[in-house]
Amino acid sequence: MVAIPGVSAHAPDLTFDVEHFKYNITTDSHTNPANETLTTNGNWYAKNNGKSITQMKHYKTSACLTCELYKNAPKIQKADLLNAPSTPI
């Protein structure tokens, strides 16, 4: 039996929780629930949570700035991005 950890934090709009993003291994990109593609610059970042360090990539899209869902979600910050683990989700 393997324990699968839950999401440690949720997006302000649960529609945009990481579980709703689709990973494309060929292009190393994610597609969000609004069908927008988030890409990475390919750099790896170390995320320190106090107990361990996890290697992550940041995935971004400029589409958030013109998205109606984004405009209607005041808690979302313009700098929001997807921190994805080093393995596909």
Side-chain angles (χ1 to χ4, degrees):
M1 182 182 295
V2 176
I4 300 173
V7 176
S8 61
H10 293 282
D13 178 346
L14 297 181
T15 304
F16 286 86
D17 268 3
V18 70
E19 68 194 36
H20 302 294
F21 286 66
K22 295 178 185 166
Y23 181 70
N24 182 323
I25 196 166
T26 305
T27 60
D28 189 18
S29 64
H30 290 267
T31 302
N32 71 15
N35 206 34
E36 297 292 344
T37 301
L38 289 81
T39 58
T40 179
N41 64 9
N43 291 338
W44 289 94
Y45 302 91
K47 183 174 182 180
N48 186 343
N49 70 5
K51 297 179 183 177
S52 64
I53 298 174
T54 304
Q55 293 295 312
M56 307 287 246
K57 287 184 182 179
H58 295 171
Y59 293 82
K60 303 177 189 180
T61 180
S62 60
C64 295
L65 301 175
T66 58
C67 178
E68 289 301 316
L69 296 170
Y70 178 87
K71 290 178 185 176
N72 294 329
K75 291 182 182 178
I76 297 175
Q77 300 297 313
K78 289 185 180 179
D80 280 355
L81 47 85
L82 175 66
N83 287 311
S86 58
T87 55
I89 54 173

